[in-house]
Amino acid sequence: KGVLRELSRLAMAVNARPRRSLLLPLSLAALVAAWQLRVVAFLAPGAGRRGALAVAAAVALAPIQGPAAQAALGDTPWAGRYNDPEHQGCKRLISQKGLTVRISGIDGSPGCMNGFDETVKWDLKAKLESPESKELVIDFSPKGGPANVVGTWDGEGITFPDGNKWTKIGKSTMKGKGK
């Protein structure tokens, strides 16, 4: 009962809705994994198959949304493609690995919409304090800007102290380094 209580507490701590489309496959995967790995070792003596099934169900039914869970699945709120209104049509791509964030982009004059504007490619480093962090500290010094600019996630994109906002327009199709 202690293991189930702890798993239930952890599942509620994530405080998010489960993705229904993943519920059945994950339940089956957890059940198979529990059986194959003999999860019974984590249970009290004599818990048997019912105990293993209960642990597998608790693990499978844990919510799979929220920043920490998304990061574990490779889908983070930060990672993706963004629109920067100050540089229309110019690339803004964010990738994340743990607490390390990489931002790659192109600046054009006046933008990147015409295809023949002069462009400059750049890569920036940024960091998060935690997987659930709503603030991202970006080093804009490679572009000639300040070193510690705080970007804040507002649910739709990243807002900056100067009033600019990068709106998220899609998930990152790039994995790892974001190339």
Side-chain angles (χ1 to χ4, degrees):
K1 286 186 177 183
V3 171
L4 293 176
R5 189 175 304 128
E6 184 64 18
L7 286 172
S8 176
R9 186 188 66 73
L10 289 171
M12 287 199 255
V14 174
N15 194 18
R17 298 181 317 242
R19 291 184 180 171
R20 297 185 200 288
S21 63
L22 295 176
L23 192 58
L24 182 59
L26 286 175
S27 298
L28 292 173
L31 182 58
V32 169
W35 184 257
Q36 292 296 322
L37 297 174
R38 307 294 193 254
V39 172
V40 228
F42 296 106
L43 302 172
R49 288 182 290 191
R50 282 189 182 173
L53 181 59
V55 167
V59 169
L61 295 175
I64 321 173
Q65 215 164 1
Q70 287 176 339
L73 294 173
D75 180 23
T76 69
W78 297 99
R81 293 177 292 122
Y82 290 81
N83 178 46
D84 178 355
E86 293 186 13
H87 299 277
Q88 286 293 323
C90 294
K91 172 185 168 184
R92 298 289 185 268
L93 181 65
I94 297 181
S95 60
Q96 178 184 349
K97 187 169 186 176
L99 301 178
T100 302
V101 176
R102 180 172 176 230
I103 305 170
S104 59
I106 298 172
D107 285 346
S109 179
C112 299
M113 302 293 277
N114 296 333
F116 56 83
D117 294 323
E118 185 177 322
T119 59
V120 177
K121 292 181 182 182
W122 47 263
D123 288 297
L124 305 175
K125 293 180 182 177
K127 57 188 170 189
L128 299 166
E129 282 195 24
S130 73
E132 296 84 13
S133 183
K134 298 288 184 188
E135 292 186 341
L136 176 69
V137 181
I138 307 169
D139 180 5
F140 278 98
S141 62
K143 287 183 60 173
N148 294 309
V149 175
V150 177
T152 305
W153 179 257
D154 71 358
E156 296 176 349
I158 305 168
T159 57
F160 294 95
D162 66 358
N164 192 16
K165 177 180 176 177
W166 293 2
T167 304
K168 191 168 185 178
I169 56 174
K171 290 185 177 183
S172 175
T173 57
M174 311 298 169
K175 298 207 177 198
K177 294 185 179 179
K179 288 186 177 177

